[in-house]
């Protein structure tokens, strides 16, 4: 009999520039990276720290299409994109308290109602590793060094979408939460996300 066992692939290391908080923001964008001809991203701020932090995340596209159906205190929401567009996003935020060693990033997602994608990582000072479900791809990305100082952050992102879908029209829906907590358990932020791709 043939042995079909295969050694697991080494993790894909995502090389970021490691500015404070960039790894976490990049991870949020990675969730929506393989976008399709109609894909909707919406989010809900479920919890935010009481230490004076805030954020504003604005999204537009080129050519401009007014992709987001709503907005609130935290920026653009319910955004729909098309293949071939360029996503222009800006983030302005203020971290009210240092994120120190022992703080955590927690992700709890469900893909297509029954495939669970859950993992926890250090929010700073280490690499974060996970395995992307369905494609079973190990991924590893660096988190910022500890501590992440309480400061204002301004970032801009430009992402050119390909002209066709790599998933051939398959419908994928991902819902769940992404959150960061301080070492003592106090929340930095918890987001509810709902991403539908076709």
């Amino acid at each position: 009999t043939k042995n079909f066992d295969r050694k697991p692939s080494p993790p894909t290391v995502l090389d970021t520039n490691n500015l404070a908080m960039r790894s976490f923001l990049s991870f949020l964008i990675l969730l929506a990276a393989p976008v399709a001809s109609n894909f909707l991203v919406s989010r809900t701020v479920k919890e935010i720290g009481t230490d004076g932090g805030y954020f504003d995340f604005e999204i537009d596209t080129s050519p401009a299409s007014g992709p987001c159906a709503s907005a609130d205190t935290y920026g653009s929401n319910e955004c729909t994109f098309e293949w071939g567009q360029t996503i222009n996003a800006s983030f302005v935020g203020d971290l009210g308290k240092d994120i120190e060693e022992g703080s955590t990033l927690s992700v709890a997602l469900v893909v297509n109602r029954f495939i669970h994608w859950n993992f926890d990582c250090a929010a700073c000072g280490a690499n974060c590793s996970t395995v992307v479900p369905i494609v079973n791809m190990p991924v590893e990305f660096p988190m910022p060094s500890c501590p992440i100082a309480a400061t204002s952050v301004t970032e801009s992102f430009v992402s050119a979408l390909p002209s066709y879908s790599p998933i051939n029209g398959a419908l994928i829906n991902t819902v769940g939460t992404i959150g960061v907590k301080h070492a003592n358990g106090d929340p930095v932020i918890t987001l509810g996300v709902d991403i539908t791709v076709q």
Side-chain angles (χ1 to χ4, degrees), residues 1 18 24 27-28 36 47 49 51 56 64 67 74-75 86 88 94 107 122 131-132 144 151 154 156-157 160 175 187:
T1 60
N18 260 347
F24 179 59
F27 172 72
L28 297 181
E47 194 174 34
D51 47 25
D56 180 34
Y74 305 105
T86 297
N88 305 305
D94 187 63
V107 177
V131 177
V132 180
T151 186
T154 301
S156 295
F157 303 90
V175 298

Side-chain angles (χ1 to χ4, degrees), residues 51 95-101 103 124 147-151 182-183 188:
D51 47 25
L95 186 61
K97 178 183 176 181
D98 289 359
I99 294 179
E100 299 178 334
E101 185 176 357
S103 300
C124 63
I148 301 174
T151 186
H182 289 291
V188 178

